[in-house]
Amino acid sequence: MALQAKDLLSAALGGALTDLQEVHLSHKGLEDITAIGSASNVVNVNVSFNRLVSLDGVQLLSHLQLLDLSHNKVKSLKPLSSLIGLQVLKASHNKITQLASLATCTSLRELWLQHNQIASHSQLLSLTTLSSLAVLFLAPNPVCNSLKEDHRAASVSAIPSLQVLDGEAVSEADRTAAAAYSTQQAQMPSADLESAAVPEQDTTLSPATSLRTGRAAAAAMPSRASLPSSTQRRLQTLRTKSTGLRQKKSGDTGFEGIEGQLPKFDIDKHGNRLDKPWDPYGEIVLLHIDSRSSE
């Protein structure tokens, strides 16, 4: 017995849905399917091509075997974690980022996840418990781009039961590559694994880091005394640019001098300015060479 949208709505208002085996509600503009929870014996649900952002209600379908929720706006699969009998899940073209909720769906045989927002290989590792999973559609997803040529090897390594990946049969070459990938990951130092799992960070330096970097750069520069005397005569000393510093430039001889004083203050480890009149990093001296002169 199949059920269309208008029948579901009328039944949800006053009828019983316990006799239903299939529910077909694709292309209906649905934004909510909470009422479907009353169809406790349903085994096949198709709610594809709607406007769903949540799967609330589906967790009550304890006999569900096939669920098609493709082409919606679903972000979380958490309501599916209780569906231990689910065998086929079609969830392509959504906004899914995490797969951990599927770890308990141990009856899954087919999983369609293409065109979502899955970005981390760790999400594939969430599926290692799915020993019956034979068919996986994952590409395209951000994780496939990040893994590049290792995409198939990493997927088969995480889910050895796979027979078909992205529409192509898993070959012996794929399994050999998967074994090599597993060995490589096992030998990778923990620090490398952690850095590989951390998203790209903002490279903007804090004030404290900037000062430490500047100090290190200044320390690495040759001392003035170690330079040839002819070069020393062309050197003009500059301090680090800061509030209150002004540079005087001579038309022919480069920088002649500097006016103003370098403000001195202390900063804590977080880069916050303190009131103590002390510069823990000392004065940083940069050397300016007039490139117009020659040895």
mmCIF file of all heavy atoms in Angstrom, residues 39 53 109 176 178 248 263 285:
data_model
loop_
_atom_site.group_PDB
_atom_site.id
_atom_site.type_symbol
_atom_site.label_atom_id
_atom_site.label_comp_id
_atom_site.label_asym_id
_atom_site.label_seq_id
_atom_site.Cartn_x
_atom_site.Cartn_y
_atom_site.Cartn_z
ATOM 1 N N ALA A 39 3.680 6.191 11.031
ATOM 2 C CA ALA A 39 3.679 5.021 10.152
ATOM 3 C C ALA A 39 4.743 4.042 10.632
ATOM 4 O O ALA A 39 5.742 3.786 9.963
ATOM 5 C CB ALA A 39 3.934 5.455 8.715
ATOM 6 N N VAL A 53 14.830 20.202 6.024
ATOM 7 C CA VAL A 53 16.076 20.531 6.715
ATOM 8 C C VAL A 53 16.280 19.612 7.915
ATOM 9 O O VAL A 53 17.373 19.562 8.483
ATOM 10 C CB VAL A 53 16.087 22.005 7.176
ATOM 11 C CG1 VAL A 53 16.036 22.939 5.979
ATOM 12 C CG2 VAL A 53 14.930 22.293 8.121
ATOM 13 N N ARG A 109 23.630 -1.519 3.379
ATOM 14 C CA ARG A 109 24.299 -2.150 2.244
ATOM 15 C C ARG A 109 24.663 -1.140 1.165
ATOM 16 O O ARG A 109 25.636 -1.312 0.451
ATOM 17 C CB ARG A 109 23.398 -3.244 1.646
ATOM 18 C CG ARG A 109 23.132 -4.421 2.574
ATOM 19 C CD ARG A 109 22.328 -5.497 1.891
ATOM 20 N NE ARG A 109 20.944 -5.080 1.611
ATOM 21 C CZ ARG A 109 20.490 -4.732 0.416
ATOM 22 N NH1 ARG A 109 21.305 -4.743 -0.628
ATOM 23 N NH2 ARG A 109 19.221 -4.384 0.255
ATOM 24 N N THR A 176 44.996 -3.312 -2.914
ATOM 25 C CA THR A 176 46.436 -3.223 -2.671
ATOM 26 C C THR A 176 46.807 -1.798 -2.252
ATOM 27 O O THR A 176 47.576 -1.584 -1.303
ATOM 28 C CB THR A 176 47.224 -3.612 -3.926
ATOM 29 O OG1 THR A 176 46.903 -4.960 -4.285
ATOM 30 C CG2 THR A 176 48.722 -3.493 -3.685
ATOM 31 N N ALA A 178 44.791 0.302 -0.888
ATOM 32 C CA ALA A 178 44.193 0.530 0.428
ATOM 33 C C ALA A 178 45.079 -0.015 1.538
ATOM 34 O O ALA A 178 45.249 0.616 2.588
ATOM 35 C CB ALA A 178 42.813 -0.121 0.490
ATOM 36 N N LYS A 248 63.769 60.574 8.328
ATOM 37 C CA LYS A 248 64.238 61.685 7.514
ATOM 38 C C LYS A 248 65.049 61.111 6.374
ATOM 39 O O LYS A 248 65.938 60.292 6.577
ATOM 40 C CB LYS A 248 65.110 62.626 8.351
ATOM 41 C CG LYS A 248 64.342 63.386 9.409
ATOM 42 C CD LYS A 248 65.271 64.199 10.284
ATOM 43 C CE LYS A 248 66.052 65.189 9.439
ATOM 44 N NZ LYS A 248 66.968 65.997 10.249
ATOM 45 N N PRO A 263 58.498 53.603 21.549
ATOM 46 C CA PRO A 263 57.726 53.369 22.779
ATOM 47 C C PRO A 263 58.097 52.022 23.373
ATOM 48 O O PRO A 263 58.249 51.041 22.654
ATOM 49 C CB PRO A 263 56.270 53.371 22.290
ATOM 50 C CG PRO A 263 56.303 54.041 20.961
ATOM 51 C CD PRO A 263 57.647 53.724 20.371
ATOM 52 N N VAL A 285 67.054 46.304 16.071
ATOM 53 C CA VAL A 285 67.762 47.209 15.164
ATOM 54 C C VAL A 285 67.807 46.596 13.775
ATOM 55 O O VAL A 285 68.197 45.447 13.601
ATOM 56 C CB VAL A 285 69.183 47.483 15.666
ATOM 57 C CG1 VAL A 285 69.942 48.356 14.675
ATOM 58 C CG2 VAL A 285 69.126 48.150 17.029
#
